[in-house]
Amino acid sequence: MRVLVAEDHHILARTIATGLRRQAMAVDVASTGAQAERMCLVTDYDVLVLDRDLPVMTGDEVCRRLRELTAPPRILMLTAAAEVTDKVYGLTALGADDYLAKPFDFAELTARVRTLSRRAPKPPPVVLRHEDITLDRARHQVSVGGRPLELTPKEFAVLQLLMEARGTAVPHDELVRTVWDENLDPRTSAVRAAVSRLRRKLGDSGLIAADKGQGYRLCD
């Protein structure tokens, strides 16, 4: 899942981004409304966590502009204004998909982001299966032959993408863009290393094939 956090309070932005990354999300950060809009025009984000009180171009204006796109990201508006009228305005007049008042519990923020991502057209099933591998997207659990498997958030996200592709190769660039974030050098060996660890943990070195020039795919 690719998420953009638009928040001008640097400590809060860093805290949110770090927490979401630990939940196997690829997260980018913008500190101004104009920057957030530019990033959404060049990257297909699943969810935008948008501070309503951004400087210069406010979150309100960003929300209005993005709603003119053919396929805008789902928008979770953050604000210090907790009045019902403010929430109604954000959801109706501005077109936000959800609204969360500060201060908030991080577990609730994470749950709301995940819920918004599932509202995208034709979401994959909650439970994915391939051979004897079962991946539960909601519980973030993986098992092989009924045996629980411990994966890191990145390993889980890579395996999820491969299982959603159902045997079709997932390009290296897509794995970098979706599982990691804009700070990762596309030439890095991070993807190869994550796939190598997955093969070892899954107990089948031939389960994930590397198609030269195509990416990685699951084998039967």
Side-chain angles (χ1 to χ4, degrees):
M1 183 195 311
R2 193 74 184 264
V3 179
L4 175 62
V5 176
E7 168 63 63
D8 65 320
H9 191 290
H10 298 299
I11 295 177
L12 178 57
R14 185 168 63 248
T15 299
I16 294 174
T18 299
L20 293 179
R21 286 169 184 149
R22 288 173 178 166
Q23 297 297 316
M25 302 181 198
V27 184
D28 298 330
V29 178
S31 58
T32 69
Q35 183 184 16
E37 182 189 25
R38 286 196 304 271
M39 294 174 73
C40 286
L41 291 176
V42 299
T43 302
D44 292 326
Y45 291 104
D46 298 295
V47 179
L48 167 60
V49 179
L50 178 64
D51 178 21
R52 189 174 178 184
D53 302 314
L54 290 172
V56 186
M57 183 189 294
T58 66
D60 290 9
E61 183 62 22
V62 173
C63 192
R64 289 194 190 95
R65 288 170 177 256
L66 292 182
R67 282 305 170 211
E68 297 176 0
L69 299 179
T70 302
R74 300 293 181 177
I75 298 176
L76 171 58
M77 187 84 76
L78 299 181
T79 180
E83 296 295 328
V84 173
T85 52
D86 293 305
K87 295 181 180 180
V88 171
Y89 181 76
L91 294 170
T92 56
L94 300 179
D97 297 287
D98 201 355
Y99 199 97
L100 188 59
K102 301 177 183 178
F104 52 82
D105 184 89
F106 187 76
E108 181 180 3
L109 172 68
T110 302
R112 287 174 180 265
V113 169
R114 290 198 181 284
T115 298
L116 287 177
S117 73
R118 291 197 291 269
R119 294 182 187 173
K122 296 184 180 179
V126 173
V127 177
L128 303 172
R129 292 182 174 85
H130 180 84
E131 299 292 321
D132 60 347
I133 304 171
T134 300
L135 183 148
D136 190 319
R137 297 169 64 245
R139 294 184 174 86
H140 265 244
Q141 295 174 349
V142 175
S143 63
V144 178
R147 175 179 57 86
L149 193 65
E150 292 294 330
L151 299 181
T152 68
K154 296 300 185 189
E155 292 164 359
F156 182 95
V158 169
L159 180 59
Q160 178 180 320
L161 272 181
L162 294 177
M163 292 183 72
E164 289 174 353
R166 299 184 180 279
T168 302
V170 180
H172 178 277
D173 290 349
E174 182 178 344
L175 286 166
V176 171
R177 183 175 64 251
T178 307
V179 178
W180 281 268
D181 55 50
E182 62 179 3
N183 298 313
L184 186 72
D185 187 333
R187 296 167 297 180
T188 184
S189 62
V191 174
R192 186 169 63 251
V195 169
S196 178
R197 293 194 303 271
L198 266 176
R199 287 173 174 149
R200 185 174 64 254
K201 291 184 177 182
L202 292 170
D204 185 349
S205 60
L207 183 62
I208 302 176
D211 292 345
K212 189 173 183 180
Q214 298 297 319
Y216 294 93
R217 61 181 174 83
L218 287 178
C219 301
D220 295 328

